[in-house]
Amino acid sequence: MPEEVLLAIFKKLTNMDLCNVILACRYFFKVGTDPSLWTEFTINKNKFVTGSWEEVGSVFDITRYKISRLDLSDCHSLSTLRLIHILRKSLKCNITDIDLSCLNLLRIPRGLLAEVVSRSTKANLNRCLGLRPSKLLALFTQCSNSSTLQDLHI
């Protein structure tokens, strides 16, 4: 079967199914490890609420994934320490879209928040608590120097 046909089929598989398929034979492995199958990945809040600290960090270390979106919106069960840990780990990735809407950001260091937001292309901080003037000033200062940020919702 031609690679193009297999790629079209493999694109419809879940990540878990694709992992199983590439173990079937060398040809499937060759086609199934094509970067186009592994480039987009959204990190969802469910992974961070239930996982251990090690699991939270390991999500960002999966080399096959280009993590493009981090959605933590309405994730009220995240502790401040865990949220700080997630944001620090996210700096090692190329997050283009981050959604922190409805979170309490009062205890998040302003420099960390400003750096995470300014590195993204799109950031949503709608209805966030704890965005005090000093934090907003740091955020706007960093974002005004950003070459990537195009869309910021506060």
Side-chain angles (χ1 to χ4, degrees):
M1 188 175 293
E3 283 186 27
E4 296 79 23
V5 174
L6 276 178
L7 275 173
I9 294 168
F10 288 176
K11 283 182 181 180
K12 297 184 184 299
L13 298 176
T14 65
N15 288 339
M16 185 59 78
D17 289 339
L18 184 56
C19 286
N20 289 327
V21 164
I22 63 174
L23 296 175
C25 70
R26 287 182 188 163
Y27 184 61
F28 281 9
F29 181 83
K30 178 184 176 256
V31 176
T33 54
D34 185 279
S36 68
L37 296 171
W38 297 97
T39 55
E40 294 299 319
F41 184 70
T42 298
I43 297 182
N44 201 311
K45 55 194 150 219
N46 298 333
K47 177 67 176 168
F48 296 122
V49 175
T50 59
S52 69
W53 285 98
E54 293 79 21
E55 288 174 347
V56 168
S58 68
V59 168
F60 292 100
D61 296 330
I62 301 172
T63 55
R64 286 192 159 167
Y65 294 151
K66 175 187 169 203
I67 301 167
S68 60
R69 186 164 198 278
L70 178 61
D71 179 7
L72 298 173
S73 61
D74 291 307
C75 200
H76 305 291
S77 56
L78 274 180
S79 70
T80 300
L81 287 176
R82 186 169 280 218
L83 182 55
I84 290 171
H85 181 67
I86 292 167
L87 292 176
R88 283 187 179 142
K89 289 296 239 176
S90 75
L91 289 173
K92 296 178 181 177
C93 298
N94 231 354
I95 305 282
T96 56
D97 184 352
I98 187 163
D99 190 346
L100 303 175
S101 58
C102 302
L103 293 179
N104 186 349
L105 303 175
L106 181 64
R107 290 200 162 81
I108 305 303
R110 63 180 174 235
L112 174 62
L113 180 65
E115 188 172 358
V116 167
V117 169
S118 68
R119 286 185 178 193
S120 64
T121 305
K122 180 179 175 186
N124 186 358
L125 302 176
N126 251 349
R127 300 186 321 242
C128 284
L129 300 175
L131 288 176
R132 300 242 166 111
S134 62
K135 196 167 284 189
L136 286 171
L137 180 62
L139 184 66
F140 291 145
T141 302
Q142 183 106 12
C143 289
S144 68
N145 296 324
S146 172
S147 61
T148 56
L149 187 64
Q150 297 173 1
D151 196 5
L152 174 62
H153 294 275
I154 296 183

